[in-house]
Amino acid sequence: MSSFIHLRNSLLSVECNRVRSINAIAREALSRHDKGVDEWYEERRMVADEDENAEDRDYLDELYADQKADAAEAYPQLFFKAIFASAYGTFEQYINSICLHDAKQRAGVGLRDLRGEGIHRARLYLTKVAGKAFPDTPEWRDLCDYGLLRNALLHADGDLSANTKAPSIEQLAGRVRTFSVATDLSAVTLTGAFNDAFVETIECFAEQLAHALQ
């Protein structure tokens, strides 16, 4: 089991570094796009000023405002949320693979025979079936709340107004300070640092789990 854990943690580290890289690429692309919008506006504004057409200038200003808003808000959120969903799936696959590997070494109850889903079912397997110690650490508790956030983003686009788990997600926001929740719970906003912090939590917990299982 220990050699397998070492291999899985090495592969997980590779995946986490890929998340960091794509997050950096996304942030750089967003910055270039934002500058491109400014350059586009300046060029078009000069033409509009020469034509002295007030309607054209007003329309151009509206287009510019819309594009700047997308560059500052809509596009970053699409990138960051997609990266987060992928990174969370990587962690889920990681912990499930440990359970599946252990199940091959023993006869009886397998991971899919247990109730629940995702990382919670994996913990149930490791503690109840495999009889392993499990690190109930702040990182693990954060990962559980990250799962609530992931579900809210995927199934309700971050609208927490009807989500019974909203308090847990708000508490996570207060702890990690890399995303915010609207005061009316209608939206969640991720910062550019969100995914880097998330994969750091994954890697920290993976080390804790490896130590507990060896």
Side-chain angles (χ1 to χ4, degrees), residues 123 135-148 172 175 201 205:
R123 178 184 182 178
D136 186 15
T137 59
E139 288 75 20
W140 169 252
R141 292 189 288 274
D142 281 350
L143 287 168
C144 291
D145 288 340
Y146 273 118
L148 300 177
L172 176 65
R175 293 196 302 274
T201 303
F205 174 76

PDB file of all heavy atoms in Angstrom, residues 123 135-148 172 175 201 205:
ATOM      1  N   ARG A 123     -13.911   8.173   2.529  1.00  0.00           N
ATOM      2  CA  ARG A 123     -13.522   8.166   3.942  1.00  0.00           C
ATOM      3  C   ARG A 123     -14.201   7.009   4.685  1.00  0.00           C
ATOM      4  O   ARG A 123     -13.563   6.336   5.498  1.00  0.00           O
ATOM      5  CB  ARG A 123     -13.908   9.486   4.604  1.00  0.00           C
ATOM      6  CG  ARG A 123     -13.567   9.504   6.087  1.00  0.00           C
ATOM      7  CD  ARG A 123     -14.029  10.748   6.792  1.00  0.00           C
ATOM      8  NE  ARG A 123     -13.623  10.720   8.185  1.00  0.00           N
ATOM      9  CZ  ARG A 123     -13.851  11.675   9.060  1.00  0.00           C
ATOM     10  NH1 ARG A 123     -14.498  12.767   8.690  1.00  0.00           N
ATOM     11  NH2 ARG A 123     -13.445  11.574  10.305  1.00  0.00           N
ATOM     12  N   PRO A 135      -7.026  11.229   8.661  1.00  0.00           N
ATOM     13  CA  PRO A 135      -6.681  12.553   9.207  1.00  0.00           C
ATOM     14  C   PRO A 135      -7.859  13.525   9.179  1.00  0.00           C
ATOM     15  O   PRO A 135      -8.160  14.123   8.149  1.00  0.00           O
ATOM     16  CB  PRO A 135      -5.556  13.034   8.273  1.00  0.00           C
ATOM     17  CG  PRO A 135      -5.809  12.321   6.976  1.00  0.00           C
ATOM     18  CD  PRO A 135      -6.420  11.002   7.341  1.00  0.00           C
ATOM     19  N   ASP A 136      -8.517  13.673  10.297  1.00  0.00           N
ATOM     20  CA  ASP A 136      -9.631  14.628  10.402  1.00  0.00           C
ATOM     21  C   ASP A 136      -9.043  15.994  10.739  1.00  0.00           C
ATOM     22  O   ASP A 136      -9.162  16.501  11.854  1.00  0.00           O
ATOM     23  CB  ASP A 136     -10.609  14.166  11.475  1.00  0.00           C
ATOM     24  CG  ASP A 136     -11.857  15.034  11.524  1.00  0.00           C
ATOM     25  OD1 ASP A 136     -12.085  15.803  10.564  1.00  0.00           O
ATOM     26  OD2 ASP A 136     -12.594  14.970  12.520  1.00  0.00           O
ATOM     27  N   THR A 137      -8.425  16.596   9.747  1.00  0.00           N
ATOM     28  CA  THR A 137      -7.657  17.830   9.915  1.00  0.00           C
ATOM     29  C   THR A 137      -8.434  19.030   9.380  1.00  0.00           C
ATOM     30  O   THR A 137      -9.442  18.874   8.693  1.00  0.00           O
ATOM     31  CB  THR A 137      -6.333  17.715   9.150  1.00  0.00           C
ATOM     32  OG1 THR A 137      -6.639  17.488   7.754  1.00  0.00           O
ATOM     33  CG2 THR A 137      -5.492  16.557   9.670  1.00  0.00           C
ATOM     34  N   PRO A 138      -7.957  20.243   9.665  1.00  0.00           N
ATOM     35  CA  PRO A 138      -8.598  21.421   9.065  1.00  0.00           C
ATOM     36  C   PRO A 138      -8.624  21.349   7.542  1.00  0.00           C
ATOM     37  O   PRO A 138      -9.577  21.812   6.912  1.00  0.00           O
ATOM     38  CB  PRO A 138      -7.720  22.582   9.555  1.00  0.00           C
ATOM     39  CG  PRO A 138      -7.168  22.094  10.853  1.00  0.00           C
ATOM     40  CD  PRO A 138      -6.922  20.627  10.652  1.00  0.00           C
ATOM     41  N   GLU A 139      -7.580  20.760   6.945  1.00  0.00           N
ATOM     42  CA  GLU A 139      -7.549  20.635   5.486  1.00  0.00           C
ATOM     43  C   GLU A 139      -8.660  19.718   4.993  1.00  0.00           C
ATOM     44  O   GLU A 139      -9.306  20.011   3.980  1.00  0.00           O
ATOM     45  CB  GLU A 139      -6.186  20.113   5.022  1.00  0.00           C
ATOM     46  CG  GLU A 139      -5.065  21.105   5.134  1.00  0.00           C
ATOM     47  CD  GLU A 139      -4.591  21.320   6.564  1.00  0.00           C
ATOM     48  OE1 GLU A 139      -4.849  20.443   7.434  1.00  0.00           O
ATOM     49  OE2 GLU A 139      -3.954  22.364   6.839  1.00  0.00           O
ATOM     50  N   TRP A 140      -8.885  18.619   5.689  1.00  0.00           N
ATOM     51  CA  TRP A 140      -9.969  17.721   5.296  1.00  0.00           C
ATOM     52  C   TRP A 140     -11.320  18.418   5.414  1.00  0.00           C
ATOM     53  O   TRP A 140     -12.160  18.328   4.528  1.00  0.00           O
ATOM     54  CB  TRP A 140      -9.967  16.452   6.139  1.00  0.00           C
ATOM     55  CG  TRP A 140     -11.212  15.626   5.962  1.00  0.00           C
ATOM     56  CD1 TRP A 140     -12.231  15.463   6.862  1.00  0.00           C
ATOM     57  CD2 TRP A 140     -11.595  14.878   4.795  1.00  0.00           C
ATOM     58  NE1 TRP A 140     -13.218  14.670   6.340  1.00  0.00           N
ATOM     59  CE2 TRP A 140     -12.851  14.290   5.071  1.00  0.00           C
ATOM     60  CE3 TRP A 140     -11.005  14.659   3.554  1.00  0.00           C
ATOM     61  CZ2 TRP A 140     -13.529  13.493   4.147  1.00  0.00           C
ATOM     62  CZ3 TRP A 140     -11.669  13.868   2.631  1.00  0.00           C
ATOM     63  CH2 TRP A 140     -12.907  13.299   2.934  1.00  0.00           C
ATOM     64  N   ARG A 141     -11.520  19.129   6.509  1.00  0.00           N
ATOM     65  CA  ARG A 141     -12.800  19.820   6.695  1.00  0.00           C
ATOM     66  C   ARG A 141     -12.988  20.896   5.627  1.00  0.00           C
ATOM     67  O   ARG A 141     -14.102  21.102   5.135  1.00  0.00           O
ATOM     68  CB  ARG A 141     -12.871  20.401   8.108  1.00  0.00           C
ATOM     69  CG  ARG A 141     -12.956  19.301   9.182  1.00  0.00           C
ATOM     70  CD  ARG A 141     -13.249  19.869  10.554  1.00  0.00           C
ATOM     71  NE  ARG A 141     -12.108  20.573  11.130  1.00  0.00           N
ATOM     72  CZ  ARG A 141     -11.139  19.974  11.813  1.00  0.00           C
ATOM     73  NH1 ARG A 141     -11.140  18.661  11.984  1.00  0.00           N
ATOM     74  NH2 ARG A 141     -10.150  20.685  12.334  1.00  0.00           N
ATOM     75  N   ASP A 142     -11.902  21.565   5.254  1.00  0.00           N
ATOM     76  CA  ASP A 142     -11.997  22.543   4.160  1.00  0.00           C
ATOM     77  C   ASP A 142     -12.374  21.853   2.854  1.00  0.00           C
ATOM     78  O   ASP A 142     -13.206  22.358   2.087  1.00  0.00           O
ATOM     79  CB  ASP A 142     -10.670  23.288   3.976  1.00  0.00           C
ATOM     80  CG  ASP A 142     -10.481  24.400   5.000  1.00  0.00           C
ATOM     81  OD1 ASP A 142     -11.444  24.723   5.731  1.00  0.00           O
ATOM     82  OD2 ASP A 142      -9.364  24.954   5.064  1.00  0.00           O
ATOM     83  N   LEU A 143     -11.772  20.703   2.582  1.00  0.00           N
ATOM     84  CA  LEU A 143     -12.071  19.981   1.346  1.00  0.00           C
ATOM     85  C   LEU A 143     -13.531  19.547   1.296  1.00  0.00           C
ATOM     86  O   LEU A 143     -14.154  19.548   0.231  1.00  0.00           O
ATOM     87  CB  LEU A 143     -11.144  18.773   1.204  1.00  0.00           C
ATOM     88  CG  LEU A 143      -9.691  19.117   0.847  1.00  0.00           C
ATOM     89  CD1 LEU A 143      -8.789  17.905   1.025  1.00  0.00           C
ATOM     90  CD2 LEU A 143      -9.597  19.650  -0.570  1.00  0.00           C
ATOM     91  N   CYS A 144     -14.084  19.174   2.447  1.00  0.00           N
ATOM     92  CA  CYS A 144     -15.510  18.827   2.496  1.00  0.00           C
ATOM     93  C   CYS A 144     -16.362  20.046   2.125  1.00  0.00           C
ATOM     94  O   CYS A 144     -17.331  19.929   1.362  1.00  0.00           O
ATOM     95  CB  CYS A 144     -15.886  18.322   3.885  1.00  0.00           C
ATOM     96  SG  CYS A 144     -15.176  16.711   4.301  1.00  0.00           S
ATOM     97  N   ASP A 145     -15.989  21.206   2.637  1.00  0.00           N
ATOM     98  CA  ASP A 145     -16.744  22.423   2.322  1.00  0.00           C
ATOM     99  C   ASP A 145     -16.497  22.877   0.889  1.00  0.00           C
ATOM    100  O   ASP A 145     -17.391  23.435   0.240  1.00  0.00           O
ATOM    101  CB  ASP A 145     -16.394  23.537   3.317  1.00  0.00           C
ATOM    102  CG  ASP A 145     -16.971  23.279   4.695  1.00  0.00           C
ATOM    103  OD1 ASP A 145     -17.937  22.478   4.807  1.00  0.00           O
ATOM    104  OD2 ASP A 145     -16.471  23.862   5.676  1.00  0.00           O
ATOM    105  N   TYR A 146     -15.292  22.637   0.387  1.00  0.00           N
ATOM    106  CA  TYR A 146     -15.036  22.908  -1.033  1.00  0.00           C
ATOM    107  C   TYR A 146     -15.970  22.060  -1.903  1.00  0.00           C
ATOM    108  O   TYR A 146     -16.389  22.496  -2.981  1.00  0.00           O
ATOM    109  CB  TYR A 146     -13.587  22.594  -1.403  1.00  0.00           C
ATOM    110  CG  TYR A 146     -12.608  23.709  -1.180  1.00  0.00           C
ATOM    111  CD1 TYR A 146     -11.542  23.553  -0.282  1.00  0.00           C
ATOM    112  CD2 TYR A 146     -12.695  24.910  -1.878  1.00  0.00           C
ATOM    113  CE1 TYR A 146     -10.604  24.566  -0.085  1.00  0.00           C
ATOM    114  CE2 TYR A 146     -11.767  25.922  -1.692  1.00  0.00           C
ATOM    115  CZ  TYR A 146     -10.722  25.747  -0.791  1.00  0.00           C
ATOM    116  OH  TYR A 146      -9.808  26.759  -0.602  1.00  0.00           O
ATOM    117  N   GLY A 147     -16.267  20.849  -1.441  1.00  0.00           N
ATOM    118  CA  GLY A 147     -17.207  20.011  -2.176  1.00  0.00           C
ATOM    119  C   GLY A 147     -18.594  20.625  -2.224  1.00  0.00           C
ATOM    120  O   GLY A 147     -19.279  20.553  -3.262  1.00  0.00           O
ATOM    121  N   LEU A 148     -19.008  21.236  -1.135  1.00  0.00           N
ATOM    122  CA  LEU A 148     -20.305  21.929  -1.114  1.00  0.00           C
ATOM    123  C   LEU A 148     -20.296  23.091  -2.096  1.00  0.00           C
ATOM    124  O   LEU A 148     -21.278  23.335  -2.804  1.00  0.00           O
ATOM    125  CB  LEU A 148     -20.610  22.430   0.294  1.00  0.00           C
ATOM    126  CG  LEU A 148     -20.701  21.377   1.402  1.00  0.00           C
ATOM    127  CD1 LEU A 148     -20.947  22.053   2.751  1.00  0.00           C
ATOM    128  CD2 LEU A 148     -21.804  20.363   1.110  1.00  0.00           C
ATOM    129  N   LEU A 172     -16.412  28.851   4.976  1.00  0.00           N
ATOM    130  CA  LEU A 172     -15.214  28.533   4.205  1.00  0.00           C
ATOM    131  C   LEU A 172     -14.646  29.798   3.566  1.00  0.00           C
ATOM    132  O   LEU A 172     -13.430  30.021   3.581  1.00  0.00           O
ATOM    133  CB  LEU A 172     -15.538  27.498   3.127  1.00  0.00           C
ATOM    134  CG  LEU A 172     -14.393  27.138   2.176  1.00  0.00           C
ATOM    135  CD1 LEU A 172     -13.253  26.445   2.924  1.00  0.00           C
ATOM    136  CD2 LEU A 172     -14.895  26.255   1.041  1.00  0.00           C
ATOM    137  N   ARG A 175     -12.686  31.647   6.005  1.00  0.00           N
ATOM    138  CA  ARG A 175     -11.416  31.025   6.385  1.00  0.00           C
ATOM    139  C   ARG A 175     -10.347  31.183   5.303  1.00  0.00           C
ATOM    140  O   ARG A 175      -9.217  31.563   5.590  1.00  0.00           O
ATOM    141  CB  ARG A 175     -11.612  29.526   6.682  1.00  0.00           C
ATOM    142  CG  ARG A 175     -12.442  29.231   7.912  1.00  0.00           C
ATOM    143  CD  ARG A 175     -12.267  27.793   8.373  1.00  0.00           C
ATOM    144  NE  ARG A 175     -12.614  26.798   7.364  1.00  0.00           N
ATOM    145  CZ  ARG A 175     -13.845  26.323   7.151  1.00  0.00           C
ATOM    146  NH1 ARG A 175     -14.853  26.777   7.881  1.00  0.00           N
ATOM    147  NH2 ARG A 175     -14.073  25.398   6.236  1.00  0.00           N
ATOM    148  N   THR A 201      -4.250  23.048  -0.586  1.00  0.00           N
ATOM    149  CA  THR A 201      -5.002  22.288   0.411  1.00  0.00           C
ATOM    150  C   THR A 201      -5.025  20.811   0.050  1.00  0.00           C
ATOM    151  O   THR A 201      -4.864  19.938   0.917  1.00  0.00           O
ATOM    152  CB  THR A 201      -6.445  22.825   0.515  1.00  0.00           C
ATOM    153  OG1 THR A 201      -6.408  24.214   0.836  1.00  0.00           O
ATOM    154  CG2 THR A 201      -7.223  22.085   1.593  1.00  0.00           C
ATOM    155  N   PHE A 205      -3.330  17.868   2.393  1.00  0.00           N
ATOM    156  CA  PHE A 205      -4.104  16.741   2.900  1.00  0.00           C
ATOM    157  C   PHE A 205      -3.548  15.415   2.382  1.00  0.00           C
ATOM    158  O   PHE A 205      -3.535  14.420   3.115  1.00  0.00           O
ATOM    159  CB  PHE A 205      -5.576  16.859   2.518  1.00  0.00           C
ATOM    160  CG  PHE A 205      -6.362  15.637   2.901  1.00  0.00           C
ATOM    161  CD1 PHE A 205      -6.726  15.423   4.223  1.00  0.00           C
ATOM    162  CD2 PHE A 205      -6.696  14.682   1.949  1.00  0.00           C
ATOM    163  CE1 PHE A 205      -7.416  14.279   4.599  1.00  0.00           C
ATOM    164  CE2 PHE A 205      -7.388  13.538   2.312  1.00  0.00           C
ATOM    165  CZ  PHE A 205      -7.746  13.341   3.642  1.00  0.00           C
TER     166      PHE A 205
END
